[in-house]
Amino acid sequence: MLSPFPPGWHLLWLGLVLGSVCAALEAAAQANSTTGALNVLLIIVDDLRPSLGCYGDKLVRSPNIDQLASHSLLFQNAFAQQAVCAPSRVSFLTGRRPDTTRLYDFNSYWRVHAGNFSTIPQYFKENGYLTMSVGKVFHPGVSSNHSDDSPYSWSFPPYHPSSEKYENTKTCRGQDGELHANLLCPVDVVDVPEGTLPDKQSTEQAIRLLEKMKTSGSPFFLAVGYHKPHIPFRYPKEFQKLYPLENITLAPDPQVPDGLPPVAYNPWMDIRQREDVQALNISVPYGPIPMDFQRKIRQSYFASVSYLDTQVGHLLSTLDDLQLANNTIIAFTSDHGWALGEHGEWAKYSNFDITTRVPLMFYVPGRTALLPKAGEKLFPYLNPFDSTTELMEPGRQTMDLVELLSLFPTLAALAGLPVPPHCPVPSFHVELCREGQNLLKHFQFQDKEDDSYLHGNPRESIAYSQYPRPADSPQWNSDKPSLKDIKIMGYSIRTIDYRYTIWVGFNPDEFMANFSDIHAGELYFVDSDPLQDHNVYNDSQHGELARSLMP
């Protein structure tokens, strides 16, 4: 694919942006006289489920993220509000649910089609912060106005790595020696176009910006979005060595559950479009994928996670080197999870825990960890290939269920900014409010030094998610239906005891759900069915409970 820009454009862009940084620094310094304000580094990962050492995964090597967790408050049960990129990102970056942003697909901009809602970076910018975006923060395209919501959210134009345009092109060397557009795409980096990969470029750009910020007199908000482990699994091939195929197991529940309503299933059409998957001639919609290829998919996902971990490690090590770790909040999360064969699915696009549960952790200097002493490094780079590296336990953990919606009020509170008020109902006319809870109460650690788990009342916490479908049975657009094609909405409630999902009729013209038009239901009890394989919605003994949970 040819670049639409002239040769050398990216270097010119970099010079213009760094010049804009200097100008913005001067303006921000004049506009903001606050001293002692905490910076914010927000790391957003694409399609990352909690397959990390700090979340108890014994196979995945993620030493740098685990090290961050050891100095952080880690939320064991954090959930996205819709398991697909654009709706999830717009939701947590505005602090509004998908029913408020009215974005269930990729094809509308909330400021035009729902309301002129403020975003997290916009709020920090309006409070004197220099705000910067690197990589995939907002989903690119229509859903962020082809500008990553500039100029509202950012102090100068967001950075996108030049090599990301090759992600879906024929850059994967197959066994036939030819280049293909494959799902599985371990590469020799020196052989790929531009000799680099998007996440490497994003890390390098983020480091350059941190170096600029070191001499800034104003606080900064830097959001860094990483592409991997989003498909295709295009990563440096040496990371495959961390995961020999003989060590890779299948998902614990690789079969489509007998009691799963057809409307709840997604047929993972996007991976079927990859050349190596097409060659398998897998039946639609249920498959299955051959077991040997299932292992290869899981291998490449885990390898992509370890590659991602190295990029996070380099970024955090630089933060340390620049002595910014003592005054910078670090938030780390993902837009949603990804099924690796669980329930016979290979994608996001559902309401199950495996696709809605995400990693979420906050490092707050002096609060989640002691301030580093002179010369001390909190985040030295750790090599995932070093077998002597010991697993680091999370510093603090809470089991309470939380939503990604809480990111907005929580970051504001941790930074000492006024927390936006709760939204009225409806709130389409209100620019600044939030539908998520402020999680600041979880950061009160006094008299709990001997207990890394924070004990609240988890039965008071609930997480909501939703997913649209075009029909009662899986079809070609079930994964990502356009708004006009949505006929059914699956609303899901997750508590500490159960997951309950009700699939109801939906009018896309009125954005209206009809809870008297029930198409199907799901009810799973977490203690006895943690993988959510046994739907008891239609069992007579649980029917009364299911009915009582309806709005």
Side-chain angles (χ1 to χ4, degrees):
M1 179 185 295
L2 294 176
S3 171
F5 304 105
W9 177 86
H10 290 290
L11 292 176
L12 175 61
W13 181 94
L14 180 59
L16 290 173
V17 165
L18 291 178
S20 299
V21 172
C22 296
L25 283 172
E26 294 177 6
Q30 293 173 2
N32 180 50
S33 59
T34 303
T35 58
L38 290 173
N39 307 309
V40 177
L41 172 60
L42 172 59
I43 302 173
I44 303 170
V45 184
D46 212 348
D47 288 18
L48 178 64
R49 60 196 241 167
S51 290
L52 300 165
C54 53
Y55 278 89
D57 194 301
K58 303 299 183 184
L59 177 66
V60 174
R61 296 191 60 81
S62 53
N64 294 287
I65 299 171
D66 299 343
Q67 181 172 245
L68 172 62
S70 74
H71 299 301
S72 299
L73 172 59
L74 181 146
F75 289 85
Q76 284 283 353
N77 289 296
F79 293 89
Q81 277 48 77
Q82 187 177 330
V84 68
C85 302
S88 177
R89 289 167 185 260
V90 169
S91 173
F92 70 72
L93 287 168
T94 62
R96 316 283 183 113
R97 299 185 187 281
D99 276 347
T100 304
T101 66
R102 292 181 166 176
L103 180 67
Y104 313 110
D105 57 12
F106 299 80
N107 304 320
S108 68
Y109 181 42
W110 77 91
R111 294 188 190 273
V112 173
H113 292 277
N116 189 30
F117 308 145
S118 295
T119 69
I120 299 175
Q122 177 183 353
Y123 187 59
F124 276 80
K125 180 183 177 185
E126 291 170 350
N127 280 275
Y129 278 69
L130 186 68
T131 57
M132 302 164 286
S133 174
V134 173
K136 186 178 178 181
V137 178
F138 284 98
H139 190 87
V142 175
S143 63
S144 58
N145 202 33
H146 298 283
S147 66
D148 296 283
D149 194 44
S150 293
Y152 297 99
S153 288
W154 310 111
S155 299
F156 54 90
Y159 170 87
H160 283 280
S162 59
S163 64
E164 70 180 17
K165 61 180 172 287
Y166 303 109
E167 278 292 280
N168 294 304
T169 61
K170 295 177 181 290
T171 59
C172 316
R173 186 74 61 184
Q175 293 182 346
D176 58 2
E178 300 297 320
L179 293 177
H180 299 275
N182 286 344
L183 173 67
L184 311 182
C185 190
V187 298
D188 190 335
V189 176
V190 298
D191 290 339
V192 299
E194 299 188 27
T196 189
L197 295 172
D199 287 344
K200 284 179 172 286
Q201 287 186 291
S202 290
T203 299
E204 292 162 359
Q205 173 67 4
I207 287 173
R208 284 191 287 265
L209 292 174
L210 285 177
E211 291 169 346
K212 287 285 185 182
M213 294 306 102
K214 172 63 178 175
T215 58
S216 167
S218 61
F220 66 82
F221 180 103
L222 172 60
V224 182
Y226 286 113
H227 283 264
K228 297 301 111 178
H230 192 288
I231 63 170
F233 301 125
R234 186 167 171 261
Y235 58 92
K237 65 181 182 181
E238 58 267 24
F239 286 90
Q240 264 192 331
K241 298 175 183 177
L242 292 171
Y243 304 99
L245 277 175
E246 58 267 24
N247 295 344
I248 304 297
T249 61
L250 300 180
D253 54 344
Q255 306 299 324
V256 179
D258 290 337
L260 184 69
V263 69
Y265 187 81
N266 73 82
W268 30 281
M269 297 302 293
D270 48 2
I271 78 165
R272 295 174 187 270
Q273 298 168 13
R274 311 289 165 166
E275 291 182 35
D276 50 351
V277 178
Q278 286 179 344
L280 299 174
N281 196 26
I282 299 168
S283 64
V284 179
Y286 295 108
I289 292 176
M291 286 191 293
D292 61 334
F293 201 82
Q294 290 188 36
R295 288 189 171 87
K296 290 178 180 179
I297 295 176
R298 291 169 67 86
Q299 175 195 47
S300 277
Y301 183 93
F302 300 145
S304 296
V305 172
S306 291
Y307 162 55
L308 157 76
D309 181 79
T310 63
Q311 300 309 302
V312 173
H314 289 307
L315 179 61
L316 297 184
S317 178
T318 298
L319 194 78
D320 246 347
D321 292 341
L322 296 172
Q323 299 180 336
L324 290 170
N326 60 354
N327 64 347
T328 301
I329 297 166
I330 305 170
F332 178 94
T333 193
S334 166
D335 51 1
H336 44 71
W338 212 80
L340 286 168
E342 293 84 2
H343 310 114
E345 296 180 320
W346 298 89
K348 43 242 187 185
Y349 316 132
S350 82
N351 282 314
F352 285 118
D353 278 16
I354 202 68
T355 62
T356 57
R357 183 170 171 244
V358 296
L360 178 65
M361 63 189 78
F362 297 87
Y363 161 75
V364 186
R367 183 172 285 189
T368 62
L370 296 175
L371 290 173
K373 300 175 183 177
E376 179 187 6
K377 292 198 69 172
L378 287 182
F379 306 113
Y381 177 77
L382 299 175
N383 188 343
F385 291 91
D386 184 354
S387 59
T388 64
T389 301
E390 295 183 1
L391 175 64
M392 296 186 182
E393 297 293 333
R396 302 279 183 174
Q397 303 180 64
T398 178
M399 301 300 294
D400 286 10
L401 280 76
V402 300
E403 301 176 300
L404 277 187
L405 280 176
S406 293
L407 195 60
F408 195 154
T410 303
L411 282 177
L414 291 174
L417 301 180
V419 176
H422 285 285
C423 290
V425 179
S427 65
F428 299 109
H429 61 291
V430 181
E431 292 188 11
L432 180 63
C433 67
R434 41 98 178 192
E435 295 180 350
Q437 299 297 314
N438 179 3
L439 303 180
L440 190 63
K441 66 178 183 179
H442 295 284
F443 292 82
Q444 310 305 318
F445 303 139
Q446 58 268 26
D447 301 323
K448 295 183 180 179
E449 292 299 323
D450 58 341
D451 190 353
S452 65
Y453 276 90
L454 303 181
H455 301 284
N457 184 356
R459 282 182 171 76
E460 294 180 353
S461 56
I462 297 175
Y464 298 90
S465 63
Q466 61 188 98
Y467 209 87
R469 293 283 191 243
D472 285 299
S473 298
Q475 59 185 45
W476 67 272
N477 63 340
S478 288
D479 296 344
K480 295 182 287 187
S482 297
L483 174 63
K484 63 180 177 59
D485 296 322
I486 296 173
K487 301 294 188 294
I488 304 164
M489 187 68 73
Y491 289 96
S492 195
I493 302 171
R494 177 62 157 85
T495 75
I496 201 69
D497 297 312
Y498 60 82
R499 176 172 288 284
Y500 172 65
T501 304
I502 191 78
W503 297 89
V504 300
F506 185 83
N507 183 332
D509 297 320
E510 303 293 333
F511 299 94
M512 187 68 66
N514 181 0
F515 283 88
S516 64
D517 179 21
I518 299 175
H519 290 238
E522 300 170 77
L523 179 61
Y524 308 96
F525 288 99
V526 174
D527 282 346
S528 59
D529 185 20
L531 301 179
Q532 299 163 15
D533 290 319
H534 305 287
N535 180 16
V536 298
Y537 175 82
N538 291 318
D539 290 7
S540 58
Q541 66 184 105
H542 299 115
E544 185 175 342
L545 171 61
R547 286 191 295 273
S548 70
L549 296 173
M550 287 181 57

